[in-house]
Amino acid sequence: VELHHRHFPVPISALPLPMPDKSVIDNGSQRQPLSIPRQQQALAQEGRKVLEQTITKTGDAFIDLNRRRITPAIVKRLVDRLAHEGTPTKANHVAAYLRPIYRWGMNRGHCITNPAWSIEAAQERPAPALPERLPLARVIQFAQERGQLSTTAPGSVSPYLWALMEIAYLCRLRGIEVLTLTEANGLEAGIQTNRRKGRRDNVVRWNDRLRNAWAAAIAVRNARWKKKGRAVPLDPARRPLFVGTGGDALTRNGLDSAWYRMMAAAFVAGIITEEEKFGSHDLKRRGITDTEGTATEGNRHDKQQASGHRSERMLDIYDLSLPEATPRHNNKHMIYINNSVSIIFLVYFINNFG
């Protein structure tokens, strides 16, 4: 058995994917699959995807490594690497994915130890703060200027980033919601959103700032398609607004990498400080908070309509504006005080002056 393991290494990918409790057939033999609570299955799928996309120094994907030779030190280096790239949450998802599948393998004789069991969690950022308006404006201007440089020039950033930030802020969109925009979302009245997690869609009316960002994103995409010799699809729904260097639709991992490089370059250039760094999702929070005409008392319904949230409880997570209120004014109370003073003065006058 040991010779078999040594000469025929079995990768991590041979271990089962998270799935509901039911029997499956594996190489003709029936086995019990790995079971993960339904609410954690999405995180486990994300962790596995990260392992598939993480390339080691040997050129192999991490998930294809011999699972018996993976030590806690290797897993810790992977977690630290992902955390250093600015994605500590993703690093913790990877560790959270490895723990149950190794436990499953140990209980069935596929593994001897669990290298992810003792791994410390990466230090995640505290609750996201609201990006200040001035640093946000500086970063957008910085991205617009550096985006005009060659992609190989030192300190350059992806040319689509400033337009993506503008659209995410003005339309109050999450990062994935911006990435899935196509030309079909550009209507005559404005941009039709494609919100996730059960949010209500709406149409954000055009203004000069939004039109400029939309046109800039299309110009960058068309230039990349022309450089790659790709035909422009006739169907607007098949024309994504943002594409990568290869011409394909921009992925979330591609955006995360470009965002990390932009923030690092902005920090080196002195545009922002370490405390002023923010993520793409923070643009939605800033956009909802800055929604005009809805910060005063009694107009939160308008802000909820603009953000697409179905409840005020969810709106409270994103709306960090400070409501304004008028001071309490009770006319009856004031009349009662005035009448009391008049009676006291009258009694005093009668007693002293007859």
Side-chain angles (χ1 to χ4, degrees):
V1 175
E2 289 300 326
L3 288 177
H4 173 79
H5 292 332
R6 185 177 299 112
H7 293 286
F8 301 95
V10 184
I12 301 175
S13 56
L15 292 175
L17 274 169
M19 60 186 73
D21 284 325
K22 61 181 179 180
S23 297
V24 296
I25 304 299
D26 181 26
N27 297 329
S29 62
Q30 191 173 17
R31 64 176 174 84
Q32 180 183 358
L34 172 65
S35 176
I36 290 183
R38 184 175 300 275
Q39 63 270 22
Q40 298 181 9
Q41 290 180 17
L43 299 181
Q45 292 282 1
E46 180 184 351
R48 182 182 177 93
K49 185 182 297 183
V50 173
L51 294 180
E52 293 173 348
Q53 297 171 347
T54 301
I55 306 301
T56 62
K57 294 181 179 180
T58 60
D60 300 321
F62 191 94
I63 202 167
D64 292 331
L65 299 179
N66 184 354
R67 64 171 177 257
R68 302 179 189 280
R69 300 195 176 191
I70 294 178
T71 63
I74 294 177
V75 178
K76 180 58 177 174
R77 284 199 297 269
L78 173 63
V79 171
D80 291 343
R81 170 184 166 183
L82 295 174
H84 182 70
E85 292 177 354
T87 55
T89 303
K90 183 185 296 184
N92 291 333
H93 289 173
V94 169
Y97 167 73
L98 287 174
R99 290 189 191 101
I101 65 171
Y102 265 101
R103 183 174 63 248
W104 185 95
M106 289 175 59
N107 294 338
R108 290 157 181 81
H110 300 294
C111 310
I112 300 176
T113 60
N114 188 339
W117 182 257
S118 60
I119 300 301
E120 304 93 344
Q123 184 67 34
E124 299 187 17
R125 291 195 308 171
L130 187 68
E132 296 294 336
R133 296 184 181 91
L134 186 56
L136 174 60
R138 291 200 304 261
V139 171
I140 293 177
Q141 183 179 1
F142 173 80
Q144 187 173 10
E145 294 173 354
R146 292 293 183 92
Q148 299 175 3
L149 302 177
S150 172
T151 54
T152 58
S156 64
V157 301
S158 299
Y160 58 79
L161 273 177
W162 78 268
L164 186 146
M165 286 191 288
E166 285 278 75
I167 294 175
Y169 168 72
L170 295 173
C171 297
R172 313 164 191 91
L173 297 177
R174 303 161 62 92
I176 188 62
E177 295 167 351
V178 182
L179 294 181
T180 53
L181 288 175
T182 65
E183 281 197 56
N185 294 99
L187 308 180
E188 182 178 356
I191 297 178
Q192 180 180 349
T193 62
N194 52 354
R195 304 188 188 279
R196 300 294 196 273
K197 295 187 175 182
R199 273 49 166 193
R200 281 192 294 260
D201 285 328
N202 51 23
V203 176
V204 182
R205 299 186 185 93
W206 293 112
N207 59 17
D208 294 339
R209 187 174 171 183
L210 192 56
R211 286 187 183 276
N212 291 338
W214 185 269
I218 293 178
V220 172
R221 182 206 63 194
N222 290 343
R224 290 186 168 180
W225 278 356
K226 182 178 180 180
K227 183 178 181 180
K228 295 295 181 179
R230 302 184 60 160
V232 179
L234 297 179
D235 185 4
R238 297 180 57 190
R239 299 199 292 264
L241 196 61
F242 299 98
V243 298
T245 54
D248 296 325
L250 185 63
T251 62
R252 182 57 197 243
N253 287 332
L255 174 59
D256 290 342
S257 299
W259 192 276
Y260 173 75
R261 292 193 300 269
M262 177 191 66
M263 283 294 165
F267 175 74
V268 172
I271 303 299
I272 56 175
T273 62
E274 185 70 28
E275 293 75 17
E276 291 174 337
K277 288 183 178 180
F278 56 89
S280 59
H281 191 64
D282 297 330
L283 297 174
K284 177 179 180 179
R285 184 176 293 101
R286 181 78 260 181
I288 293 176
T289 302
D290 288 350
T291 301
E292 294 182 359
T294 58
T296 57
E297 185 178 0
N299 289 326
R300 278 178 58 84
H301 177 71
D302 297 336
K303 181 169 288 191
Q304 186 175 340
Q305 288 289 91
S307 65
H309 290 107
R310 295 185 180 273
S311 66
E312 289 195 8
R313 180 181 178 183
M314 291 303 301
L315 179 63
D316 290 337
I317 300 176
Y318 290 89
D319 180 19
L320 302 182
S321 60
L322 189 63
E324 298 178 4
T326 56
R328 179 177 177 83
H329 182 71
N330 193 324
N331 291 331
K332 293 182 178 180
H333 182 64
M334 295 300 296
I335 293 174
Y336 173 78
I337 293 176
N338 292 334
N339 291 338
S340 300
V341 172
S342 301
I343 293 174
I344 293 173
F345 179 77
L346 180 60
V347 172
Y348 173 81
F349 181 83
I350 294 175
N351 292 337
N352 290 274
F353 300 99

